[in-house]
Amino acid sequence: MRKRFPRFSLSAYGAGWSANRRIAIVAGVVAVLLALAGAVALLTGSGNGHQAPDTAASAPADSPSSSEAAPRPSSGSGSVAKPPQIAEPVAYAKAAAQMLWSYDTRDTSRDQQLAGMRAWMTTEPKYADWTSVSGQVPDPVLWSRMADQDQHATAGVTEGHYPSAFKQALADDPSAITEAYIYVVTVNGKQQIAWKNGGGGAEERAVTLAVQCRPGHDCRLAAIAPSVTQ
């Protein structure tokens, strides 16, 4: 029987855009995200499927990992990549997706993982949906079990693009973006997972991100959509 392997994956642990944050984002970008919200709202629920290891269960949707504040340990953020200085939405979204699909339990604690991810977020509370991002990290028990197996993952990005609904909304009202400067980007790639004793696997990944890129500033991550939209 084929061995199942644990995956640290987007949408795998039950967190999506909260209703309040979705409303705030839609209000901020006006017509652009009003049009997009109709498409994304239909995609709530299970986004990318996942398989958990035989010895561990996935965190429930209301687990602490989905809403807790990001720790800021004195030891830093471990192996989590630092946010790049990029002012172009698609390029930043591609870098963010690669960060989200990569982890290393051998040298990074769960608190460090969360702290590293938090560094990518916009500092504007009105548009930052931290719940949708922190919810991607397994609960403490599962992270510990992954660490027992030296589980780690790397990722490669193949492409990033604006979903058709977002492009159409932006074409219909180009000025609507100028309130919050939130851009919606879908990224595709591949995640490679490995653990001790030669275990491993790979799968195609896809995610839709909300990225804030104000003029004259580097981009920041605002939210992760609960499901992928093309």
Side-chain angles (χ1 to χ4, degrees), residues 36 88-94 159-163 166 183-187 207-211 229:
L36 181 66
E88 198 282 315
V90 173
Y92 189 85
K94 291 166 67 174
E159 68 88 35
H161 64 275
Y162 297 121
F166 179 79
Y183 299 83
V184 177
V185 183
T186 293
V187 180
V207 63
T208 297
L209 305 174
V211 175
T229 181

Side-chain angles (χ1 to χ4, degrees), residues 153-179:
T154 57
V157 170
T158 55
E159 68 88 35
H161 64 275
Y162 297 121
S164 57
F166 179 79
K167 290 192 294 183
Q168 183 60 55
L170 190 59
D172 291 343
D173 186 0
S175 66
I177 197 74
T178 59
E179 173 65 26

Side-chain angles (χ1 to χ4, degrees), residues 26-81:
V26 169
V29 297
V30 198
V32 176
L33 287 186
L34 276 173
L36 181 66
V40 173
L42 299 176
L43 299 174
T44 56
S46 58
N48 299 312
H50 77 287
Q51 291 177 309
D54 294 333
T55 59
S58 298
D62 59 352
S63 67
S65 64
S66 65
S67 60
E68 63 192 335
R72 292 175 173 81
S74 58
S75 55
S77 57
S79 63
V80 181

Side-chain angles (χ1 to χ4, degrees), residues 1-210:
M1 184 175 68
R2 176 175 173 271
K3 179 179 176 59
R4 292 189 298 164
F5 60 89
R7 298 175 184 142
F8 174 41
S9 59
L10 296 166
S11 301
Y13 296 93
W17 274 336
S18 65
N20 289 340
R21 291 302 186 189
R22 188 183 299 115
I23 292 171
I25 292 175
V26 169
V29 297
V30 198
V32 176
L33 287 186
L34 276 173
L36 181 66
V40 173
L42 299 176
L43 299 174
T44 56
S46 58
N48 299 312
H50 77 287
Q51 291 177 309
D54 294 333
T55 59
S58 298
D62 59 352
S63 67
S65 64
S66 65
S67 60
E68 63 192 335
R72 292 175 173 81
S74 58
S75 55
S77 57
S79 63
V80 181
K82 301 297 189 295
Q85 295 181 318
I86 296 176
E88 198 282 315
V90 173
Y92 189 85
K94 291 166 67 174
Q98 187 170 23
M99 178 275 296
L100 291 165
W101 294 332
S102 304
Y103 62 93
D104 194 336
T105 64
R106 297 171 300 180
D107 61 12
T108 304
S109 69
R110 182 175 178 274
D111 281 357
Q112 288 176 318
Q113 187 73 29
L114 286 166
M117 293 164 65
R118 186 61 180 263
W120 289 67
M121 297 293 294
T122 176
T123 57
E124 297 183 39
K126 182 178 181 180
Y127 304 114
D129 184 2
W130 172 237
T131 296
S132 69
V133 177
S134 64
Q136 310 313 310
V137 179
D139 65 57
V141 173
L142 181 53
W143 186 272
S144 177
R145 292 176 179 175
M146 291 163 60
D148 289 342
Q149 297 299 315
D150 293 340
Q151 187 171 321
H152 53 284
T154 57
V157 170
T158 55
E159 68 88 35
H161 64 275
Y162 297 121
S164 57
F166 179 79
K167 290 192 294 183
Q168 183 60 55
L170 190 59
D172 291 343
D173 186 0
S175 66
I177 197 74
T178 59
E179 173 65 26
Y181 287 96
I182 299 283
Y183 299 83
V184 177
V185 183
T186 293
V187 180
N188 291 282
K190 178 176 287 187
Q191 184 185 50
Q192 300 275 350
I193 302 176
W195 55 90
K196 62 184 179 183
N197 299 323
E203 72 171 350
E204 302 296 323
R205 307 298 302 152
V207 63
T208 297
L209 305 174

